[in-house]
Amino acid sequence: AATGKSHGERLQIVQPFFHQRLLDQRNRIAQFGQSDCRLAPGLLLFCEYLPQIPKPFLNRLAQFAQLPARLILRPPQHEDFDGFASMAQEEETMRYIGGLASRDAAWRGMASLAGSWALLGYGMFSVIRRDTGEWIGRLGPWRPGGKEGNWPGDEVGWGVKASAMGQGFAQEGAIAAIDWAFATLGWDHV
């Protein structure tokens, strides 16, 4: 690692912050009786999106406790479409992830990622800046068809808008997504 610390050591540094956030969330759940959030006690950022996430997949999401400090990671939603469509028109961004795409093609891509969550219980996350609420990309575990598909292996992929490049967002989110894939999906490599 560039910092001289292992991946696990880097996560232990930020873990106390998230532990406090988890305790705060649990207190809020107890106080306001938001029972749906009990299904995902370790996943602070998903509580506000629970009505849109199929309940059978919440147990997998609940294990995602290593939340990135600057990002919200959640399954793609309809409200993300303008961000997907905008990114699909950025030549530099799209160069290595399929090339430029029309709004219709961007919709199909977003729907494919959302469909992966419904069919497999995992997929790429929408990446939202915590400080601004702006959608800046998508990243996360990807294996079309699951283990039965013809994809060459388990991977964590990413794509972020040009305006978000070079700021460490993809790395921060990918580290969290890899941890989640190892802990939740049982992956042992990417």
Side-chain angles (χ1 to χ4, degrees):
T3 62
K5 296 183 181 195
S6 73
H7 173 66
E9 289 171 323
R10 288 194 309 272
L11 288 175
Q12 288 174 2
I13 291 169
V14 297
Q15 192 169 14
F17 169 78
F18 294 119
H19 180 71
Q20 185 58 50
R21 298 269 317 261
L22 174 58
L23 293 176
D24 292 345
Q25 182 71 17
R26 286 185 179 158
N27 289 339
R28 188 173 72 82
I29 291 167
Q31 181 180 0
F32 297 107
Q34 296 177 344
S35 61
D36 281 347
C37 287
R38 288 188 190 119
L39 297 172
L43 198 56
L44 311 176
L45 60 97
F46 278 93
C47 288
E48 62 189 281
Y49 303 107
L50 288 181
Q52 293 84 26
I53 300 172
K55 290 189 188 235
F57 303 119
L58 289 175
N59 288 337
R60 287 184 179 204
L61 296 174
Q63 297 178 33
F64 188 39
Q66 299 295 341
L67 303 178
R70 300 182 299 158
L71 304 173
I72 295 172
L73 303 178
R74 60 162 170 73
Q77 297 181 356
H78 186 270
E79 67 196 48
D80 301 334
F81 177 58
D82 285 336
F84 271 92
S86 173
M87 188 173 87
Q89 291 298 304
E90 296 178 352
E91 189 171 341
E92 180 65 23
T93 302
M94 299 302 293
R95 177 179 299 162
Y96 303 107
I97 54 175
L100 296 176
S102 67
R103 278 185 73 82
D104 290 341
W107 174 262
R108 285 189 297 275
M110 185 184 81
S112 174
L113 298 179
S116 179
W117 280 97
L119 297 171
L120 300 174
Y122 67 89
M124 289 199 183
F125 299 99
S126 277
V127 182
I128 313 297
R129 284 186 62 151
R130 199 176 285 280
D131 61 346
T132 65
E134 176 189 7
W135 184 95
I136 60 170
R138 87 293 188 277
L139 63 78
W142 189 241
R143 186 168 187 163
K147 297 287 184 191
E148 296 79 28
N150 291 323
W151 203 252
D154 300 327
E155 73 176 47
V156 169
W158 61 87
V160 296
K161 291 172 36 175
S163 62
M165 287 183 181
Q167 300 175 53
F169 293 125
Q171 180 182 11
E172 184 177 326
I175 288 170
I178 289 169
D179 286 345
W180 183 79
F182 282 13
T184 305
L185 304 177
W187 291 7
D188 59 9
H189 68 280
V190 290

